């Protein structure tokens, strides 16, 4: 794959994060904004019933469906680091992709991408071994799946080495450091809560196909997708502003499988 | 489907019932005897790593692979009744079939049948609503899956009503009452531990395509498969004796998808 | 114990029902209203961290702490019937009381009552064997614990037979049928959402020490406690109205262990 | 506490590690050999029913009972590193001690020590913050509990800093390096499988109150307890040989709470 055409982009969000009686996020609102949904698979959130409802709602909204595999840690929401060996990681990724694919098939839908969640994603972004285990699992289950990863991460390299279609994402509500990594959450400017500021941040990076750090450094990289969040009214407002602003700039917002750059 | 030809039968067993560090059963021995494996999917036993190992061993032995979905109850091994609504049951069956399918795909194998486990199976054998929920889920995920059920149960009716290929099983180590149900475990003659006696029991039923109760009553029914167990040396001996005895009678033992009666 | 003095009553609520990242209920508001908290113990909700926070907040508000044991079913919030044997029930009740007692001890607090949750409570309200198993477990762990039960239930009988202090509760937001049981949720008048109506319902029953059914039937019974709920603004308003109205009638609202009738 | 008298020692073992239908270890044999049992609390192994059976058998054998708290990881048997914050660790230790105390109380027994399990123990042996969190939790729940730790570890320091009674243990079947740490499992001489060799290893260290490394280096340290394992016939033989050999040397083998050095 080459770089995405400047006239198209994907918006994705982590959805289906309710569990049993507990609600999280505003899936209905977000599924009207984004074009690809990363659906929790029961390891950090969700359950078969929540997955079914999420898949149905995504399908109804023309939103493409991806598996959002995680470490097995409901209490910690998959955000706590766990040290698993590569065979365990391959197996749990295959399991979770399959579980969501089963739910999707039962609703006449399909899983078309995979985006690792939380600590699994954070660790695999910098550890080549973990990144390769995830990429191997995805390829083994279905080599047509798109691997949605943090731009410039070890997962990006591993996915390309395995011959997978790799979609690189940036975050609408986070700033970057000069190494191209997300600014640590403790930093006063780590988060971007203002819709207009977030849109400007995203637009600049999408149009330049580069990450811009807080200090102004430009780090060229392919950008296929923008991750937006749905927890809280502010987040939904940011997501909507990003969508509206990109469209106003004649950038088409597409589900991942429909992007020319990922065919 | 009509009745199976008298010259063919399937042998199946519940396998992959280890979990994490805990071993159960003798899968290696049983995979040399049976032709179809019902693989636990992580709800009553197994985990992604155990599932991977079980699928690999089944594939190597030419044993067809089925999902063995259960209520979510590891501590109770899926043997404790739970009262779920039909939508919950449909979703958990789809999830578990999919999870095993993902693991199987990653190993170059396929899931070709589904057999409910434990309390889920026992309840769905007599409750039409549950049986129909399971059958609907199987059909929705993949209508080519074979539904392996207790002969004469509500699951058998539900599967046929949904147009699924239904394989009816009998048990090699259990006796039957005059209603065609398994004799309650408390009954002194409920279990058959003697290999020769078990073989005679099975052969008589397979050849007659009928269940014979303890009192001698004959209940005609299609019999496609014989379930054997692998827990303990006695059980493995029974399984081997049944296999050897059926083959000695010129009855071919086949994986479920290769049976003429299920095509 | 004799009947409670007409001048005192307890208010209790099910609290600590968040889990990991998921919030439920308005514990801060409810802990300013009730005098006894039934704290989830990790089987249907909560986790060690949530339990710690709940215990701390209860202690700060002078609210007495009780264990709220459940079937092991996070996804189903303990509301799905499970069929366990009595030894399993005894063990899981002892485990959950102890777990909360450990958390409480670490915060300088104590567990002083036990109230079964959800399906465990519903089943044990009508099944004598289950009720006795729960009562035996409570007595075995600590015979000074107060057993908080549905008025007139099998749990009430079992607790008294074991020599436990039994506190009987009524529900502020539910109506009763002529057998003294809660009106089924499907019934149009099952729920009482209006604060004034709920207060009148409660006051009439507390003052008469009797349940009044929808048809007007009077069923005399000791009433020590009123259960109020905290899910939603309406529920908190009902709880506050009941508290205010009872106090306005010179009825003192006390923690369970401070009630004269339970000493 | 000063050093233990040379004429007394404790033997401990990790027990109650079955779960639901899965058996592990030979608890019956080990409870006839050791004097203190570290009982799994449901996070890495065990469940309320298994805990009840283990406590009963320990009590019958005059074996003192300790909680064996772990990270929440049944599949990984608590052996996989997890990154939790200190408040989470304090809460889960308090929860697990309490849960076992509830089970023990119900059987007329008491929890008298705490020994962290698996990855929790390994990490807290070298990370002061984790060690302190565990020690704080133990002290907060019950300051009379004995803290059983790896000799010379950060847990030992943290326990003493909190004023807890600290019992230091050595391993009968493991060799040590010159830093006083266990030789890595990959090392050809990491494990000691021969009963006579294991006994000589233990006796030398107990009598000298010092660890001896593979290279012969002597590292003086208080030794209160010897940990023996029960998985496999060889392990039980080692445990029995250590017990017999120490007794033949006039060293009394006592439950932890009966040791003069821990009073």
């Amino acid at each position: 794959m080459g770089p995405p055409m400047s006239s198209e982009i994907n918006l994705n969000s982590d959805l289906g994060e309710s569990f049993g009686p507990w609600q999280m996020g505003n899936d209905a609102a977000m599924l009207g904004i984004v074009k690809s949904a990363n659906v929790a698979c029961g390891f950090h959130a969700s359950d078969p019933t929540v997955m079914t409802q999420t898949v149905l709602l995504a399908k109804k909204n023309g939103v493409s469906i991806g598996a959002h595999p995680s470490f097995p840690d409901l209490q910690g929401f998959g955000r706590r680091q766990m040290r698993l060996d590569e065979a365990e990681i391959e197996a749990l990724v295959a399991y979770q992709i399959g579980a969501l694919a089963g739910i999707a098939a039962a609703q006449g839908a399909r899983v078309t991408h995979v985006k690792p969640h939380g600590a699994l994603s954070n660790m695999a972004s910098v550890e080549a071994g973990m990144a390769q285990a995830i990429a191997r699992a995805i390829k083994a289950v279905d080599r047509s799946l798109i691997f949605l990863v943090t731009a410039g991460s070890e997962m990006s390299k591993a996915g390309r080495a395995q011959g997978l279609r790799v979609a690189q994402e940036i975050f609408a509500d986070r700033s970057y450091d000069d190494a191209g990594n997300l600014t640590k959450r403790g930093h006063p400017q780590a988060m971007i809560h203002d819709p207009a500021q977030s849109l400007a941040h995203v637009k600049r990076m999408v149009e330049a196909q580069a990450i811009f750090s807080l200090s102004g450094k430009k780090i060229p990289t392919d950008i296929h997708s923008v991750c937006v969040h749905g927890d809280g009214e502010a987040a939904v407002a940011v997501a909507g502003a990003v969508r509206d602003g990109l469209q106003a700039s004649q950038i088409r917002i597409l589900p991942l499988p429909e992007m020319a750059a990922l065919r």
Side-chain angles (χ1 to χ4, degrees), chain A residues 100-163:
Chain A
L100 183 64
I103 294 285
Q107 303 305 329
R110 284 183 58 230
V111 173
T112 49
H113 76 274
V114 179
K115 172 178 164 179
H117 167 82
L120 178 66
S121 176
N122 294 341
M123 294 171 76
S125 287
V126 294
E127 297 187 24
M130 278 186 61
Q132 290 158 3
I134 296 170
R136 280 197 304 272
I138 295 169
K139 184 180 180 184
V141 173
D142 177 357
R143 65 179 59 227
S144 77
L145 289 164
I146 296 166
F147 190 14
L148 177 56
V149 302
T150 308
S153 67
E154 288 292 336
M155 290 192 290
S156 186
K157 291 179 208 161
R160 285 168 174 168
Q162 288 290 333

XYZ file of all heavy atoms in Angstrom, chain A residues 100-163:
445
model
N -15.783 -12.406 17.819
C -16.538 -11.299 17.214
C -17.022 -11.692 15.820
O -18.144 -11.334 15.423
C -15.690 -10.022 17.137
C -16.433 -8.810 16.578
C -17.596 -8.389 17.481
C -15.484 -7.638 16.357
N -16.203 -12.448 15.098
C -16.626 -12.887 13.756
C -17.861 -13.782 13.847
O -18.753 -13.710 12.985
C -15.475 -13.620 13.059
N -17.926 -14.607 14.884
C -19.106 -15.460 15.082
C -20.347 -14.618 15.350
O -21.423 -14.841 14.772
N -20.193 -13.650 16.246
C -21.316 -12.742 16.550
C -21.730 -11.970 15.296
O -22.932 -11.829 15.006
C -20.885 -11.745 17.656
C -20.626 -12.475 18.974
C -21.906 -10.619 17.809
C -21.833 -12.916 19.725
N -20.726 -11.497 14.549
C -21.029 -10.707 13.346
C -21.730 -11.567 12.302
O -22.737 -11.153 11.712
C -19.740 -10.099 12.777
N -21.216 -12.775 12.092
C -21.830 -13.667 11.106
C -23.292 -13.908 11.446
O -24.157 -13.917 10.569
C -21.063 -14.992 11.036
N -23.556 -14.087 12.734
C -24.939 -14.356 13.145
C -25.852 -13.171 12.849
O -27.069 -13.325 12.784
C -24.995 -14.695 14.639
N -25.282 -11.987 12.656
C -26.089 -10.795 12.335
C -25.904 -10.372 10.883
O -26.255 -9.242 10.522
C -25.696 -9.631 13.269
C -25.832 -9.954 14.743
C -27.231 -10.437 15.129
O -28.221 -10.029 14.527
N -27.292 -11.341 16.098
N -25.310 -11.238 10.084
C -25.149 -10.920 8.673
C -24.097 -9.857 8.421
O -24.154 -9.137 7.421
N -23.127 -9.763 9.324
C -22.074 -8.760 9.177
C -20.704 -9.444 9.167
O -20.603 -10.650 9.382
C -22.155 -7.747 10.306
N -19.654 -8.650 8.918
C -18.318 -9.223 8.848
C -17.315 -8.375 9.628
O -17.438 -7.161 9.708
C -17.833 -9.292 7.397
C -18.474 -10.422 6.595
C -17.884 -10.457 5.192
N -16.438 -10.640 5.255
C -15.556 -9.874 4.606
N -15.991 -8.880 3.838
N -14.262 -10.079 4.713
N -16.291 -9.040 10.165
C -15.178 -8.341 10.787
C -14.159 -8.044 9.697
O -13.727 -8.956 8.984
C -14.531 -9.209 11.890
C -13.273 -8.557 12.435
C -15.543 -9.452 13.011
N -13.786 -6.773 9.561
C -12.856 -6.425 8.481
C -11.549 -5.814 8.976
O -10.653 -5.574 8.179
C -13.530 -5.463 7.472
O -14.142 -4.388 8.189
C -14.586 -6.193 6.660
N -11.457 -5.527 10.264
C -10.163 -5.056 10.768
C -9.939 -5.513 12.199
O -10.852 -6.037 12.843
C -10.024 -3.530 10.639
C -10.794 -2.707 11.643
N -12.098 -2.335 11.472
C -10.407 -2.174 12.840
C -12.501 -1.600 12.500
N -11.486 -1.490 13.356
N -8.714 -5.304 12.680
C -8.332 -5.647 14.058
C -7.487 -4.502 14.601
O -6.549 -4.061 13.946
C -7.498 -6.947 14.112
C -7.084 -7.261 15.555
C -8.262 -8.114 13.504
N -7.854 -4.038 15.804
C -7.069 -3.005 16.480
C -6.860 -3.421 17.934
O -7.816 -3.492 18.701
C -7.814 -1.661 16.428
C -7.140 -0.568 17.277
C -7.882 0.772 17.177
C -7.456 1.710 18.300
N -8.143 3.024 18.222
N -5.632 -3.716 18.331
C -5.382 -4.117 19.720
C -5.760 -3.008 20.693
O -5.679 -1.814 20.362
C -3.882 -4.407 19.747
C -3.564 -4.766 18.324
C -4.437 -3.855 17.507
N -6.139 -3.423 21.893
C -6.656 -2.486 22.912
C -5.681 -2.265 24.064
O -4.959 -3.181 24.457
C -7.953 -3.059 23.487
C -8.412 -2.350 24.737
N -9.110 -1.167 24.710
C -8.246 -2.643 26.051
C -9.358 -0.756 25.938
N -8.851 -1.643 26.795
N -5.721 -1.082 24.611
C -5.138 -0.785 25.915
C -3.685 -1.200 26.082
O -2.823 -0.857 25.261
N -3.411 -1.922 27.172
C -2.034 -2.299 27.486
C -1.448 -3.212 26.415
O -0.251 -3.162 26.120
C -1.959 -2.974 28.852
N -2.294 -4.052 25.814
C -1.809 -4.919 24.733
C -1.295 -4.057 23.587
O -0.211 -4.315 23.031
C -2.946 -5.832 24.253
C -2.624 -6.773 23.086
C -1.589 -7.815 23.487
C -3.892 -7.494 22.600
N -2.040 -3.033 23.233
C -1.620 -2.134 22.157
C -0.390 -1.332 22.557
O 0.569 -1.199 21.783
C -2.777 -1.190 21.802
O -2.372 -0.250 20.828
N -0.412 -0.799 23.775
C 0.724 0.020 24.213
C 2.024 -0.782 24.222
O 3.075 -0.298 23.794
C 0.463 0.579 25.616
C -0.698 1.561 25.631
O -1.077 2.094 24.587
N -1.281 1.787 26.793
N 1.951 -2.002 24.745
C 3.155 -2.824 24.823
C 3.619 -3.237 23.430
O 4.809 -3.208 23.114
C 2.908 -4.043 25.715
C 2.658 -3.677 27.182
S 2.108 -5.094 28.206
C 3.665 -5.970 28.430
N 2.661 -3.627 22.584
C 3.016 -4.085 21.243
C 3.440 -2.934 20.339
O 4.021 -3.156 19.271
C 1.852 -4.856 20.620
N 3.165 -1.708 20.756
C 3.626 -0.568 19.959
C 5.143 -0.409 20.041
O 5.759 0.141 19.122
C 2.949 0.727 20.438
O 1.590 0.738 20.041
N 5.713 -0.906 21.141
C 7.154 -0.729 21.339
C 7.931 -2.043 21.445
O 9.154 -2.042 21.379
C 7.434 0.137 22.590
C 6.914 1.563 22.369
C 6.823 -0.462 23.844
N 7.230 -3.171 21.600
C 7.916 -4.461 21.701
C 7.704 -5.245 20.409
O 6.590 -5.692 20.120
C 7.393 -5.273 22.895
C 7.655 -4.618 24.238
C 7.265 -5.527 25.409
O 7.236 -6.764 25.226
O 7.008 -4.994 26.491
N 8.770 -5.456 19.676
C 8.649 -6.099 18.361
C 8.085 -7.513 18.465
O 7.280 -7.935 17.632
C 10.015 -6.117 17.671
N 8.491 -8.251 19.477
C 8.035 -9.640 19.619
C 6.527 -9.725 19.771
O 5.867 -10.553 19.123
N 5.985 -8.887 20.628
C 4.536 -8.885 20.814
C 3.829 -8.437 19.545
O 2.794 -8.989 19.161
C 4.148 -7.944 21.951
C 4.295 -8.565 23.316
S 3.648 -7.448 24.616
C 1.926 -7.306 24.117
N 4.381 -7.413 18.907
C 3.771 -6.903 17.681
C 3.712 -8.007 16.613
O 2.707 -8.175 15.921
C 4.561 -5.702 17.168
N 4.794 -8.758 16.520
C 4.838 -9.829 15.513
C 3.853 -10.952 15.853
O 3.224 -11.537 14.960
C 6.271 -10.364 15.388
C 7.201 -9.339 14.726
C 8.659 -9.574 15.041
O 9.024 -10.535 15.722
N 9.515 -8.674 14.548
N 3.727 -11.249 17.135
C 2.766 -12.287 17.537
C 1.351 -11.889 17.129
O 0.587 -12.709 16.601
C 2.847 -12.516 19.048
N 1.006 -10.643 17.369
C -0.332 -10.169 16.987
C -0.508 -10.228 15.468
O -1.532 -10.709 14.966
C -0.566 -8.735 17.510
C -0.559 -8.716 19.045
C -1.877 -8.167 16.967
C -0.539 -7.312 19.650
N 0.490 -9.759 14.742
C 0.395 -9.760 13.276
C 0.291 -11.193 12.731
O -0.489 -11.457 11.811
C 1.604 -9.046 12.670
N 1.069 -12.101 13.309
C 0.968 -13.507 12.874
C -0.425 -14.062 13.112
O -0.978 -14.790 12.274
C 1.983 -14.379 13.650
C 3.393 -14.325 13.156
C 4.221 -15.500 13.698
N 4.221 -15.583 15.147
C 5.079 -14.951 15.953
N 6.017 -14.159 15.441
N 5.010 -15.091 17.261
N -0.989 -13.752 14.278
C -2.326 -14.267 14.589
C -3.356 -13.733 13.604
O -4.209 -14.482 13.106
C -2.711 -13.891 16.020
N -3.299 -12.452 13.330
C -4.267 -11.859 12.393
C -4.142 -12.531 11.028
O -5.134 -12.954 10.432
C -4.031 -10.341 12.262
C -4.322 -9.644 13.594
C -4.889 -9.747 11.144
C -3.876 -8.185 13.643
N -2.906 -12.651 10.558
C -2.686 -13.262 9.236
C -3.179 -14.708 9.221
O -3.787 -15.162 8.245
C -1.195 -13.223 8.908
C -0.881 -13.757 7.518
C 0.611 -13.694 7.260
C 0.955 -14.234 5.876
N 2.425 -14.259 5.689
N -2.936 -15.428 10.298
C -3.320 -16.837 10.339
C -4.831 -17.000 10.337
O -5.373 -17.919 9.719
C -2.716 -17.511 11.575
N -5.535 -16.115 11.022
C -6.999 -16.225 11.068
C -7.602 -15.823 9.727
O -8.463 -16.521 9.193
C -7.580 -15.336 12.196
C -9.107 -15.307 12.133
C -7.115 -15.838 13.561
N -7.147 -14.705 9.176
C -7.722 -14.215 7.919
C -6.812 -13.128 7.359
O -6.815 -11.990 7.835
C -9.129 -13.653 8.188
C -9.783 -13.059 6.933
O -9.140 -13.024 5.869
O -10.935 -12.611 7.060
N -6.079 -13.465 6.314
C -5.079 -12.513 5.810
C -5.690 -11.296 5.145
O -4.959 -10.367 4.795
C -4.092 -13.200 4.871
C -4.702 -13.720 3.579
C -3.620 -14.375 2.705
N -2.989 -15.474 3.419
C -1.669 -15.669 3.502
N -0.845 -14.825 2.912
N -1.184 -16.699 4.155
N -7.003 -11.286 4.983
C -7.631 -10.100 4.384
C -7.980 -9.044 5.425
O -8.424 -7.947 5.077
C -8.891 -10.511 3.613
O -9.951 -10.762 4.504
N -7.796 -9.343 6.697
C -8.114 -8.370 7.749
C -7.148 -7.193 7.708
O -5.936 -7.373 7.526
C -8.036 -9.036 9.132
C -9.159 -10.030 9.446
C -8.777 -10.911 10.646
C -10.474 -9.300 9.721
N -7.660 -5.998 7.896
C -6.838 -4.788 7.995
C -6.353 -4.653 9.428
O -7.118 -4.851 10.379
C -7.671 -3.549 7.584
C -8.068 -3.655 6.106
C -6.902 -2.255 7.859
C -9.149 -2.667 5.687
N -5.077 -4.320 9.607
C -4.471 -4.183 10.934
C -4.393 -2.682 11.225
O -3.614 -1.966 10.599
C -3.075 -4.829 10.888
C -2.392 -5.007 12.207
C -3.050 -4.883 13.427
C -1.031 -5.336 12.241
C -2.387 -5.067 14.640
C -0.357 -5.530 13.444
C -1.042 -5.393 14.641
N -5.230 -2.235 12.154
C -5.300 -0.807 12.492
C -4.390 -0.539 13.687
O -4.604 -1.091 14.767
C -6.751 -0.429 12.817
C -7.040 1.013 13.265
C -6.552 2.046 12.257
C -8.544 1.187 13.537
N -3.370 0.302 13.462
C -2.305 0.462 14.458
C -1.917 1.924 14.644
O -2.183 2.777 13.793
C -1.037 -0.307 14.022
C -1.343 -1.785 13.811
C -0.466 0.303 12.736
N -1.244 2.173 15.752
C -0.663 3.487 16.011
C 0.391 3.773 14.933
O 1.255 2.927 14.682
C 0.011 3.472 17.390
O -0.946 2.992 18.353
C 0.485 4.852 17.788
N 0.307 4.956 14.357
C 1.251 5.321 13.287
C 2.688 5.206 13.780
O 3.016 5.691 14.869
C 0.967 6.753 12.820
N 3.516 4.543 13.005
C 4.931 4.460 13.328
C 5.311 3.450 14.393
O 6.479 3.367 14.785
N 4.352 2.637 14.837
C 4.628 1.697 15.925
C 5.263 0.408 15.419
O 5.316 0.143 14.218
C 3.320 1.350 16.634
O 2.486 0.617 15.741
N 5.746 -0.407 16.365
C 6.241 -1.739 16.011
C 5.143 -2.581 15.369
O 5.427 -3.454 14.547
C 6.780 -2.451 17.259
C 8.097 -1.902 17.777
C 9.279 -2.173 16.830
O 9.200 -3.125 16.033
O 10.253 -1.404 16.867
N 3.888 -2.334 15.750
C 2.800 -3.080 15.119
C 2.704 -2.749 13.641
O 2.389 -3.620 12.828
C 1.471 -2.774 15.810
C 1.386 -3.368 17.214
S -0.288 -3.321 17.906
C -0.465 -1.559 18.185
N 2.974 -1.512 13.310
C 2.928 -1.117 11.908
C 3.976 -1.892 11.111
O 3.692 -2.444 10.040
C 3.150 0.393 11.815
O 2.972 0.837 10.505
N 5.187 -1.941 11.658
C 6.263 -2.691 10.989
C 5.915 -4.170 10.886
O 6.102 -4.802 9.846
C 7.567 -2.546 11.786
C 8.159 -1.141 11.752
C 9.445 -1.083 12.591
C 9.669 0.309 13.139
N 10.597 0.358 14.274
N 5.431 -4.742 11.987
C 5.142 -6.180 12.005
C 4.048 -6.528 11.013
O 4.108 -7.546 10.319
C 4.747 -6.605 13.420
N 3.029 -5.684 10.944
C 1.929 -5.939 10.019
C 2.402 -5.913 8.577
O 2.023 -6.767 7.769
N 3.240 -4.924 8.267
C 3.746 -4.837 6.895
C 4.660 -6.013 6.576
O 4.610 -6.564 5.464
C 4.463 -3.499 6.684
C 3.427 -2.366 6.561
C 4.011 -0.981 6.631
N 2.950 0.005 6.364
C 3.054 1.306 6.573
N 4.189 1.812 7.044
N 2.054 2.117 6.324
N 5.467 -6.424 7.556
C 6.359 -7.570 7.337
C 5.565 -8.847 7.063
O 6.015 -9.726 6.329
C 7.266 -7.758 8.549
N 4.378 -8.936 7.639
C 3.533 -10.116 7.412
C 2.702 -9.988 6.149
O 1.947 -10.900 5.810
C 2.576 -10.332 8.603
C 3.241 -10.821 9.872
C 3.726 -12.251 9.758
O 3.178 -13.054 8.979
N 4.780 -12.596 10.486
N 2.796 -8.859 5.481
C 2.007 -8.681 4.263
C 0.566 -8.294 4.512
O -0.274 -8.381 3.612
